[in-house]
Amino acid sequence: MTANNIRIDKLLFFLRLAKSRSLAVTWADAGHIRINGHRVERASATVKAEDIITLPRGENVLVIKLVALPTRRGPALEARTFYALLDTP
């Protein structure tokens, strides 16, 4: 991992989209997440700014575009500044 990318499990935890990093690992390993339309099957898959991430959210699908990469798990308002919600397909 470099300063230009981050693991998908760590990202989801930092963005407060997953309550724990182990939950994010489970989602990734189960293949529930897509990065730029490609199915992720391992938690070590990396993402970078400007990537499109698709993941299930209850009965809905959440599609986000990364604006920047977080360096920590901060408050929810701070986490929200790192991505933009996109319309679901």
Side-chain angles (χ1 to χ4, degrees), residues 26 52 80 88:
T26 302
I52 307 292
R80 181 64 180 87
T88 54

Side-chain angles (χ1 to χ4, degrees), residues 2-64:
T2 67
N4 297 334
N5 59 35
I6 188 172
R7 290 172 52 118
I8 188 67
D9 61 329
K10 196 171 183 179
L11 175 79
L12 294 176
F13 178 64
F14 282 2
L15 294 181
R16 296 186 165 272
L17 298 174
K19 288 186 178 187
S20 68
R21 191 162 171 191
S22 62
L23 178 60
V25 168
T26 302
W27 291 347
D29 290 344
H32 295 304
I33 302 168
R34 293 184 182 273
I35 300 172
N36 296 326
H38 294 69
R39 186 176 180 194
V40 172
E41 294 182 343
R42 55 188 170 77
S44 61
T46 58
V47 293
K48 59 188 179 317
E50 303 298 317
D51 279 351
I52 307 292
I53 300 171
T54 307
L55 62 147
R57 201 65 174 166
E59 293 189 15
N60 298 317
V61 175
L62 182 66
V63 182
I64 62 170

Side-chain angles (χ1 to χ4, degrees), residues 6 10-11 14-15 66 68-74 78-79 82:
I6 188 172
K10 196 171 183 179
L11 175 79
F14 282 2
L15 294 181
L66 290 178
L69 297 178
T71 56
R72 68 185 187 112
R73 180 178 168 95
E78 178 185 320
F82 291 101

